[in-house]
Amino acid sequence: MNVIVLSPIRMFGDGLATSLGNSEGIRVVAVARDLAGLRNALAGASVQVVLIDVTQGIDLYDMRSVAVEHPALALVALGLNEQRQDVIRCGRAGFSGYVPRDAPIDALRGAIADVAAGRLACPAEISSALLRALFRSDHQSDSLDTELALTQREMEVLHLLGHGYSNKEIARELCLSIATVKHHVHSILDKLKLPNRVLAMRRVRDAPWLASVASRRAGGVREG
């Protein structure tokens, strides 16, 4: 199977590619340093698995966008802190499997084989937490489908709401009118089925990929 390694640390990515190159049935077709490099590599080759170094603060929102664009692609988190919430967050971001920080290289080979076969090996406590998370996502009104309905601008406004900004402060930060900000806030609350902005702030804390949009505004100001 064809594999891409994504890590901002060149030595780690190249070393991992070399180690996996000796594994039967695994072919590392590219080592990407960032999301742009990953997208370019995916466009140029048939790939089944992407190994993603999550120890360097990877953007979960960006990873979820890759998972949505490539539904047949298996994303594997490398170096994950094996805690329930971390595993659940990666699952919500579209990851198919993970390898804990203290796992040997053989465990990584096994994880690649597992995700290719549609399996996820994890401790019973993690499995139980995943099942409970699935139950909540099916029975609570704040589902992921609703979150996906937010526009990029609405996610930027929600990000600032999550940091306690007022409408006036959001307007100044995003170079919008206060009336436009009020429109976006109303739309966000309506889409997320939330009664007030305090609960919207809690949503940002519960969904870390929404809090990543600040970095996506670096390209300049866009129209509201």
Side-chain angles (χ1 to χ4, degrees):
M1 80 187 69
N2 290 340
V3 175
I4 293 175
V5 177
L6 171 61
S7 175
I9 301 177
R10 181 171 184 175
M11 183 180 297
F12 175 78
D14 290 348
L16 189 57
T18 299
S19 297
L20 292 175
N22 299 321
S23 304
E24 184 177 355
I26 298 176
R27 176 172 174 257
V28 179
V29 298
V31 178
R33 309 290 177 228
D34 52 29
L35 182 64
L38 173 60
R39 292 188 185 280
N40 289 337
L42 289 172
S46 174
V47 178
Q48 289 74 50
V49 178
V50 178
L51 307 177
I52 301 167
D53 177 7
V54 297
T55 66
Q56 303 302 311
I58 197 73
D59 191 324
L60 290 183
Y61 181 86
D62 283 338
M63 290 302 101
R64 189 169 69 166
S65 71
V66 171
V68 171
E69 293 166 10
H70 303 273
L73 188 65
L75 306 181
V76 179
L78 301 181
L80 185 68
N81 183 18
E82 199 172 25
Q83 301 295 322
R84 287 178 295 177
Q85 284 304 314
D86 291 331
V87 175
I88 290 171
R89 285 168 181 161
C90 280
R92 286 174 171 167
F95 284 78
S96 303
Y98 68 91
V99 179
R101 297 189 178 197
D102 58 352
I105 190 67
D106 286 342
L108 173 57
R109 295 189 182 99
I112 294 174
D114 284 339
V115 297
R119 299 188 298 264
L120 172 61
C122 59
E125 180 185 7
I126 301 295
S127 298
S128 177
L130 290 173
L131 289 174
R132 290 196 299 271
L134 285 172
F135 174 83
R136 288 194 297 269
S137 68
D138 282 342
H139 289 78
Q140 291 180 349
S141 61
D142 53 343
S143 67
L144 290 179
D145 288 340
T146 303
E147 289 174 2
L148 287 170
L150 295 177
T151 66
Q152 179 65 35
R153 179 60 88 189
E154 287 168 349
M155 286 187 287
E156 291 173 347
V157 172
L158 180 58
H159 165 75
L160 296 177
L161 277 177
H163 284 73
Y165 281 49
S166 67
N167 286 349
K168 184 177 180 180
E169 290 169 330
I170 294 172
R172 182 171 60 249
E173 181 73 14
L174 299 180
C175 297
L176 301 173
S177 69
I178 294 179
T180 297
V181 172
K182 288 181 178 179
H183 169 77
H184 286 313
V185 171
H186 176 80
S187 179
I188 289 167
L189 296 180
D190 182 61
K191 288 181 178 180
L192 299 183
K193 297 180 175 61
L194 297 174
N196 55 59
R197 60 197 298 139
V198 173
L199 292 181
M201 293 172 63
R202 294 179 183 174
R203 164 59 60 81
V204 175
R205 290 196 294 269
D206 293 339
W209 51 85
L210 296 182
S212 70
V213 297
S215 63
R216 300 168 71 87
R217 295 190 288 109
V221 176
R222 294 184 294 275
E223 295 181 358

